[in-house]
Every structure is written in C-alpha cells, then in structure tokens.
Amino acid sequence: MKKVAIIAQTKEGQLSDASKSLISFVSSFSPESILLLAIGDVNFSTVSASKSIDVIQLSEGLWIDSASIQPLTQAVDGYSVFGIKSIQVDNLLSLLAASSSQEMISGIQQMSYSGGKFLITKSIFSGKASLSLTSETAAYFSLNRNFDFSANSVYGEQSINSVSTLTSAAGSKASILALKPITGSIPLPDAALVVGAGRGLKDPGNWTIVEDLAKALGAATACSKPVSDLNWRPHHEHVGQTGVKISPNLYIACGISGAIQHLAGVNGSRIVVVINNDPEAPFFKHADYGIVGDVNDILPRLTKKLQTH
Amino acid sequence: MKILVCISCVPDTTSKITIDPSTSQISSQGLTFIVGPYDDYALSRAIELKESNGAEVIVLHVGGAESEALIRKCLALGADSAVRIDGNPTTSAQIASSIVSFVNQNPMDLILMGKESIDYNSGIVHGLVAGALGYSHFNPVMHLDLADDGLKLEVEMDGGKMDVSCPLPAVLGCQEPIAEWKIPSMRGIMTARTKEITVLPFDTTSQIQILKADIAETARKNKMIKAEDAEQLIDLLRTETNVL
Ligand SMILES: Cc1cc2nc3c(=O)[nH]c(=O)nc-3n(C[C@H](O)[C@H](O)[C@H](O)COP(=O)(O)OP(=O)(O)OC[C@H]3O[C@@H](n4cnc5c(N)ncnc54)[C@H](O)[C@@H]3O)c2cc1C
Ligand SMILES: Nc1ncnc2c1ncn2[C@@H]1O[C@H](COP(=O)(O)O)[C@@H](O)[C@H]1O
C-alpha cells in the first residue's frame, strides 16, 4: 500500500490508546510510509508501528475551510488518511477529502485491505444495520469509536523520525470568540462507563443518586432528551438519535423507557443494564441485565456495594 | 441573503429496517419517510432568519420523485422555492458534488444542513461541500445569529463548546437547540401548492461500490436480576462480562 497518514489525538503530550491502536492497525496494511498528524502537543519519542513515523503537530487554530487547511492539504497529498471518529476529526477529514477531490467513508465498523482494495463495513441507521462496500480509490476514512482493533497485531517499538509543526493558514476571517470546555466531568463520548437517567428520576434534585453511582464507578453521566429539554440536565448529556451517540463498555439506564430514539444513541454499548420499575418497559428487550425496581432503592444499594466491596 | 437548506429524506426512526433479498439492499417496503430531524432544525432556523431579517430560503434535495411530498412540506413551512436533483445517490460524495454543482451555478450566502443524516449517519456532506466550494465550515452548530460581519455561532467541539465569528459564505451542520421544529400552518400549506420545485438532472458517479446491506444482530443477554438481589449485578459485571 502507498503512503498512510493518521490523525491522532494526544493528551498531555501522549497518544491516546485509540490512536496507538490505529497506528498499529494501519501498520498491518504494510504502507510505504506512515505520517502522524497530531492534534495537541507531541511528547513521545517512540510508537508501536511497522516502520518509523514522521510527525506533524497541528497547532491550535481554526482548520475550517479550504483556505485555512491549505498547508495540510499539501502535506497529505498522495496519502490515505485515517482517523477515529470525533467532531474535529470528521470535520477535518471531510474538508481535506473534498479539497483534494478524494472520496471519504465514515462510520467504519470493520475494514480490511487486500489486492489493492478496501473492504469496509459501515454502520448505518444508528447501528441497526450495516453496509458492505468496497473501493480502490477512496482515501479518507473515519473509524467508529468502537471499531474492533483486537484482530490486528502490534509491531515493534519504532522511534519517531521527525517532528514538525503546521499552522492553519491565514486567509479565513473566522475567529474564536470564546472557548467553553466542559470541566470537572468525564467527557461523554470518551467514557468507557456511562450511567444514564431519564424522566423516571422525577426531579432534578434526585440526580444525586445517579451522580453517586457514576462516581463510585468512575462513569460519565448521561440523560434522555426530555430530561435535557426540561433543563434538568445540560444539553450535552443528552444521548440518542438527536443527541450524543455513545459506545461505552457499560451503559446503565435508570428510569428510561427505552424509546427507539434513545436506543439509537446507545446501541453501540457493549453491555447494557436497565433499571426500571415497569416490567413492561421496552428497554428490557435491549438489555443484557435488567432489574425491575425503583431507582431510589436500587441505585443507592449499587453505590454502596461498589464502595464497600 | 440567500440561504440554501439541504435536506435528506429518511425512514422515520420507528421504522423496522429490513433487507430486500432480491437486491441485498435496504427494502423501502413499509417505510414512512420524514425530513431528517437535524435538517428540520436547519430549515427551522432558516425560516426564523427569513422572518426576522428577510432572506430567500431555497430547499435542496438529491433524490427521487417520491420525496416531493416532503419537499412540499418544507415549502409549507416557509421556504420560497425548492430544487430536487433527480437521482438515487449511494454515497456522500455523489450528494456533495450534486450540491456543489448547483451552488456553482447559484451562489449562496449560507448553506445549512443537518449535522448528520439519520440513515447513513455519515456526518460529512457539509464538510465535503464546504471543502469543495472553499466556504467556511462549522459543525455542529447549536446557536446561529446574524452579525455585522457575518455570523455569530455557538459550536459544539470535542470536550466543550465555542463561540465563533464566522464570515460568509459558510456551510454549517446544525443540531438542537438551534431552533424549535415547526409545524406548517394552513396558509403555508395552501401557498406551498403554487411554489416551484425545480428538477435538475443528477450527473455524478462514485468509485465506492456498495455490495450489500445487513441487519445488525442485537445479541443481548436479557438476564433479569431480582430487585432484592440487585447487588449481584456488580458481581456479574465484574466476573461474567469484565466491564468493571
Ligand atoms: C424526532 C425525535 C427525536 C428524539 N430524539 C431523542 C433522543 O435523541 N434521545 C432521547 O432520549 N429521546 C429522544 N426522543 C424522545 C423519545 O421518543 C422518548 O420520548 C424519550 O426517550 C423518553 O424519555 P424517558 O425514557 O426519560 O421518559 P419516559 O418515556 O417518560 O420514561 C420514564 C421511565 O421511567 C420509569 N420510571 C418511573 N419512575 C421510576 C422509578 N421510580 N424507578 C425506576 N423507573 C421509573 C418509567 O417506567 C418509564 O419507563 C426523540 C423523539 C423524537 C420524536
Ligand atoms: N440526499 C440528500 N439531499 C440533500 N441533502 C442531503 C442529502 N443527504 C444528506 N444531506 C444533507 O447532509 C447532511 C449530512 O448528511 P450525512 O453526511 O449523510 O450524515 C444532512 O443532515 C443533510 O442536511
């Protein structure tokens, strides 16, 4: 295979685990060379890959139109570019793909490369179905967060060849007026464990039992749409068809009925637990473990068990 | 100001998705179609801007004649005219290039889309269009206001939100709470009957070949735990599934 580039997220200078998996995954295609486009600081000197890597650090900035991404378009000319789904990665990949007149495939669940062709499974209908497709020419790929990397072997430690920095070009008149990061909680899209709660909690004041359970687990909190519409919880916690799509290892749904629009956002979870006092709640059909009971009784008991054993 | 709103026409989320064995593709039998929910937010905001500041709102859909009833609904909500690019796109690139060739002939100040279509969930058509046209691009936009020098937006980003000043022309992917969904008025429905839907030819190809569609199997365990034994859940999560 020809040249491969990866968009990777770094945190405190280190590569995220998903980015490391992505590097060894693309290594399995035996590319001629590997280029790492790092969003965030770079503070590592080795990677697990099939060959040594050149790193381009993307400086903070607005990579938001074909004028501002021009330097990057040139840097990845002739490369196949891979990323793991996030807001920034998908926005950047789609702009790059169009600026270089290449095709892009997003929502990739499985992927292999042989005989000069990619064979790809893309999830559609919020995970209810999938499409198998093939392409010799598509060059931009966004992999789902729950992409299964486990089948791909990890290569030896390689050192970094070179690190350079790329700044988005001036030319775009857009500017950031204020950054409003969410602080103090685990970002929902990244969380491995999530506790979600719905209208069954009855009152925003009752959320302490949800937060206590989340804290005991080290989980992020989520909610159903009516709950954020009622302003009981912030909008960014709302999961579902019109909200965030999550794919954690564990999702515990408390007092949520399991409407299809809610399921659309949580289908990708590995294990689903449902706690609801109505044995007929539709969510139980989509649960790995179900408890018919009152959240006010069950949640504190689970929290206590986690704290004591 | 000219605003183009691009809409997808997608199966209602409550639809049961099935495969047509003769084509190995998603069957359209028994499906009810709706305007994509995010696209509906985009359209609602465009109509609000038209009502508050004056704007020409054009709705565009790339797809077959069966979508005309939904396009008509957009006209009833207050869009001024509509364009249907008559084809059966199978990839995001085909949709994007159809939109791009229309805009090359009919320049726009603002192009609003949903953050993603709820059938293909790609979330990329707006980026592809912005990249090809060279317009500014933000996605997903939660608030949109007009400003002296373009737009003032609140945009979600990984791990938070940001306020940005965005010049025109721009392509934006929209999500709630950018606007409230609207219901057509009787008067809107009447006037929509005489509004024009221009049909243009579809003329793009894609190198991506769709082989088949499959229904995802949802193999959940469906194990019930008695309320009095609720604590057992923690043990099962630790030992049976290793998620804790
Ligand atoms: C176009 C569209 C898009 C939508 N998008 C989304 C979306 O993205 N996300 C989303 O979540 N919804 C979405 N919805 C709304 C969705 O259809 C449901 O209305 C919503 O998910 C219901 O939320 P809920 O389960 O919290 O509330 P309810 O349906 O009211 O359910 C509350 C549940 O709590 C249980 N309960 C009550 N008391 C207790 C107790 N003490 N202990 C335990 N259980 C209790 C009840 O048995 C019930 O099952 C959308 C709807 C539409 C039309
Ligand atoms: N067939 C279509 N015709 C016009 N616009 C579309 C079409 N499909 C998708 N779009 C727009 O592109 C957005 C993103 O779609 P997608 O990239 O498929 O998730 C949607 O929310 C629509 O606004």
Side-chain angles (χ1 to χ4, degrees), chain A residues 49-69:
Chain A
S50 60
K51 44 178 47 88
S52 67
I53 285 185
D54 294 300
V55 178
I56 296 181
Q57 184 176 334
L58 305 183
S59 68
E60 293 275 330
L62 284 172
W63 301 83
I64 52 140
D65 54 29
S66 42
S68 64
I69 64 166

Side-chain angles (χ1 to χ4, degrees), chain B residues 18-29 210-213:
Chain B
T18 55
I19 305 290
D20 176 347
S22 66
T23 59
S24 300
Q25 304 299 333
I26 302 284
S27 162
S28 55
Q29 283 283 311
I210 311 281
L211 303 174
K212 60 171 179 137

Side-chain angles (χ1 to χ4, degrees), chain B residues 218-237:
Chain B
T218 45
R220 296 281 176 207
K221 295 184 204 295
N222 297 127
K223 263 195 196 173
M224 297 306 287
I225 301 166
K226 289 202 187 78
E228 57 265 33
D229 304 330
E231 286 84 355
Q232 263 187 15
L233 172 71
I234 306 298
D235 300 323
L236 288 169
L237 293 176

Side-chain angles (χ1 to χ4, degrees), chain B residues 38 40-45 48 112 141-144 153-154 172-180:
Chain B
Y38 298 107
D40 227 352
Y41 285 125
L43 176 64
S44 299
R45 189 66 192 123
E48 289 172 4
L112 298 182
V141 176
M142 303 173 72
H143 287 287
L144 183 172
L153 308 174
E154 185 184 53
L172 308 177
C174 301
Q175 76 175 18
E176 64 168 10
I178 193 164
E180 296 277 342

Side-chain angles (χ1 to χ4, degrees), chain A residues 198-200 202 224-226 238-243 255-259 261-262 275-278 281 293-296, chain B residues 181:
Chain A
R199 207 147 47 180
K202 304 276 173 17
S224 65
K225 178 168 151 61
H238 140 214
V239 295
Q241 180 203 306
T242 48
I256 301 178
S257 56
Q261 295 91 354
H262 184 83
I275 301 166
N276 195 306
N277 64 1
D278 173 7
D294 186 333
V295 287
N296 298 300
Chain B
W181 286 326

Side-chain angles (χ1 to χ4, degrees), chain A residues 103 125 180 238 241 289, chain B residues 13 38 154 161 176 206 240:
Chain A
E103 286 196 272
F125 290 99
K180 300 183 279 190
H238 140 214
Q241 180 203 306
Y289 301 105
Chain B
T13 31
Y38 298 107
E154 185 184 53
K161 290 184 255 181
E176 64 168 10
S206 171
E240 196 173 75

Side-chain angles (χ1 to χ4, degrees), chain A residues 64 66 103 106 122 125-126 128 130 132 134 175 177-178 180 238 241 269-270 287-290 309, chain B residues 13 38 119-122 134 154 161 163 165 176 206-207 209 211-212 214 220 222-223 225 238 240:
Chain A
I64 52 140
S66 42
E103 286 196 272
S106 73
K122 168 183 165 54
F125 290 99
S126 305
K128 277 195 278 186
S130 66
S132 301
T134 168
S175 59
L177 304 172
K180 300 183 279 190
H238 140 214
Q241 180 203 306
S269 310
R270 192 154 83 74
D288 291 290
Y289 301 105
H309 301 283
Chain B
T13 31
Y38 298 107
D119 50 358
Y120 289 102
N121 308 128
S122 296
E154 185 184 53
K161 290 184 255 181
D163 292 335
S165 154
E176 64 168 10
S206 171
Q207 301 295 321
Q209 228 187 309
L211 303 174
K212 60 171 179 137
D214 288 293
R220 296 281 176 207
N222 297 127
K223 263 195 196 173
I225 301 166
R238 283 178 176 149
E240 196 173 75

